[in-house]
Amino acid sequence: MLLSVCAAPAIAQGPPPHLPAGVLADAPEPARVNYLKQHVVVEGPVTGGLTFSFDDDFYSGRLFLLGESHGSAAPQVLDIELLTHLNARLGLTDYLGEVDPVQAHRLNRYLDTGDETLLDRVFDRWNADSQWANTAYEDKLRAIRRLNAGLPAGQRIRIHGIDAIQDWPLVAEELQARGAPLDAAAFASARGTSRARLAADALARAPDAAADAYLLQALERQAVESDRETIIFNNYAALVRSDVLGDRPAYGLWGATHVMQGPLRGRLPFGGRVRASDLPSADGVRSLVVYGLDSAFQFPVPLPTGVARVRFTDGNVDGPVVKLAGSASLREASAPHRLTVFRIDADRSPYREGQQLIALRSSMDPGLLPSADVPTSGYAQYVGVYRGSDWAAPREGAGPTLSP
């Protein structure tokens, strides 16, 4: 999400500047706190053991999106427990990861075989510069495999990669393994849409090209489109319009901006594009956004000798570097070392007006700028807070750790 993009260079050059005192000033609003306390839908320790009390409207959804600011451990806990809950309650089996189609293919092979080298190869890319290179994410994938082991074949979780290509060397490995006639030198030097075109053309000539029509079409789409939100939406739409996903419900964990349903900085993110589309899931988007208080976050910091990892405690949404409008009410309605999610679009919700819990300022970039005519409830139906989460500790091979 926000800080994952901008914080690492700032931390490498020194502590990020603090926001002005006037921006950080906040006080809980009793009416909002009372509303939040009456509309708790998820609650439990940040380390796991959550309880769910959603209403029927939630379960009627077709696309469940959990948004977070990467780098803290608690959202990974919520992710696996919510996925397990939706699998048991709805029979949901389709996980839309913030991964590309080739990464998803390798992760599914891991789920089938337990071969840890498949995980290592996917994490190779994240070890270089991503907050996904953490043990909490790695452990979550192992937990999905354990979940699948206790389920009948037709009820097991499968991962769908709908993101833009993240790991082009892995794409080259996959094409070569399929016997695709890829010009390795031209592919390595190409960039952007031209690299996607080379990959698509090579895969189209592979002996088993028809075995993964989705990957071929995803590469072809990326060969003409470079905007990430558009790529994500187009890949999801292709799954829905095919028998790969169709009208089955799907769920996934993403950076918070991707899951929001209203415009940010004048552009619709993935969740908003689905909501504005003609897809059968358009009226069934259920967005949950969770924020950190009193928590630590992991940030990758580029150094001349490689990437290092920083355990950063100034990334919480009540300052001093980031400030979420209304964070004081979130704090008052929650408890230390707990993860709590609230429904914010119920009848007479105070969040049907204004942008509290969505408008966010940062000292390092413009922040989240919601549209003035769309209230909080137009961006997400559920907002949560986790308090006292540890960072998502870097996995082995992700680089040394530094003090901020």
Side-chain angles (χ1 to χ4, degrees):
M1 188 196 159
L2 188 70
L3 287 177
S4 64
V5 175
C6 62
I11 293 171
Q13 298 164 12
H18 289 188
L19 288 164
V23 173
L24 296 172
D26 194 8
E29 299 179 45
R32 293 180 185 269
V33 172
N34 184 58
Y35 169 85
L36 292 172
K37 288 183 174 180
Q38 293 179 11
H39 291 86
V40 173
V41 294
V42 182
E43 206 283 326
V46 292
T47 53
L50 304 173
T51 59
F52 300 93
S53 53
F54 293 104
D55 58 15
D56 291 342
D57 181 67
F58 175 78
Y59 294 112
S60 69
R62 309 311 293 167
L63 176 61
F64 302 91
L65 296 172
L66 172 60
E68 53 115 23
S69 183
H70 303 324
S72 201
Q76 299 291 340
V77 172
L78 174 57
D79 187 33
I80 183 59
E81 295 200 13
L82 182 54
L83 175 62
T84 302
H85 176 70
L86 291 172
N87 177 265
R89 176 69 182 255
L90 298 180
L92 184 147
T93 60
D94 298 284
Y95 185 93
L96 305 175
E98 193 172 328
V99 296
D100 68 42
V102 176
Q103 290 172 319
H105 175 67
R106 295 292 177 97
L107 293 177
N108 283 324
R109 284 175 54 195
Y110 162 74
L111 295 181
D112 289 340
T113 66
D115 183 351
E116 293 278 334
T117 64
L118 295 166
L119 281 188
D120 291 338
R121 181 60 189 87
V122 173
F123 275 92
D124 281 348
R125 164 68 181 80
W126 297 331
N127 285 348
D129 61 7
S130 170
Q131 289 158 302
W132 282 150
N134 66 71
T135 55
Y137 192 151
E138 191 175 34
D139 290 344
K140 178 185 69 181
L141 292 168
R142 295 190 179 106
I144 295 175
R145 175 168 160 76
R146 290 194 298 272
L147 172 64
N148 279 354
L151 294 172
Q155 297 177 23
R156 293 172 186 161
I157 306 300
R158 306 303 294 170
I159 298 171
H160 301 280
I162 63 172
D163 206 344
I165 298 297
Q166 299 180 19
D167 190 340
W168 287 104
L170 186 61
V171 171
E173 287 181 23
E174 189 68 23
L175 296 183
Q176 290 162 354
R178 297 181 183 211
L182 181 68
D183 184 330
F187 181 80
S189 62
R191 293 293 180 270
T193 56
S194 61
R195 182 157 51 178
R197 172 51 56 197
L198 287 172
D201 290 345
L203 181 57
R205 298 194 301 274
D208 63 346
D212 195 344
Y214 173 70
L215 173 58
L216 175 58
Q217 292 163 10
L219 289 169
E220 290 175 339
R221 285 188 289 271
Q222 196 160 337
V224 297
E225 177 59 66
S226 58
D227 177 72
R228 187 180 175 201
E229 296 298 315
T230 302
I231 291 169
I232 294 168
F233 170 77
N234 287 341
N235 286 340
Y236 168 72
L239 290 176
V240 171
R241 290 171 175 145
S242 71
D243 59 2
V244 175
L245 181 56
D247 192 38
R248 294 198 306 274
Y251 162 79
L253 170 69
W254 290 77
T257 55
H258 298 295
V259 315
M260 293 186 184
Q261 298 175 31
L264 296 170
R265 301 179 188 174
R267 301 181 67 249
L268 276 178
F270 170 51
R273 294 181 189 219
V274 176
R275 182 172 174 175
S277 74
D278 62 354
L279 294 173
S281 53
D283 293 331
V285 184
R286 302 290 183 265
S287 296
L288 303 84
V289 181
V290 293
Y291 300 109
L293 293 174
D294 313 318
S295 295
F297 302 82
Q298 179 204 142
F299 288 109
V301 177
L303 300 174
T305 55
V307 68
R309 305 282 161 165
V310 169
R311 186 180 184 275
F312 188 58
T313 57
D314 282 351
N316 294 286
V317 293
D318 60 348
V321 174
V322 177
K323 180 64 178 75
L324 176 74
S327 63
S329 294
L330 278 181
R331 177 181 289 280
E332 187 71 12
S334 59
H337 307 292
R338 310 289 285 185
L339 187 152
T340 313
V341 179
F342 311 93
R343 180 174 180 178
I344 60 168
D345 69 337
D347 291 342
R348 293 184 288 235
S349 168
Y351 297 103
R352 288 184 177 272
E353 297 180 357
Q355 282 86 39
Q356 284 204 20
L357 307 190
I358 292 296
L360 185 147
R361 292 278 301 275
S362 168
S363 66
M364 294 174 291
D365 78 352
L368 297 185
L369 305 178
S371 174
D373 59 351
V374 181
T376 300
S377 60
Y379 283 85
Q381 293 92 350
Y382 305 88
V383 171
V385 61
Y386 51 92
R387 296 179 56 185
S389 171
D390 200 358
W391 69 334
R395 71 191 296 269
E396 185 176 355
T401 59
L402 297 176
S403 299

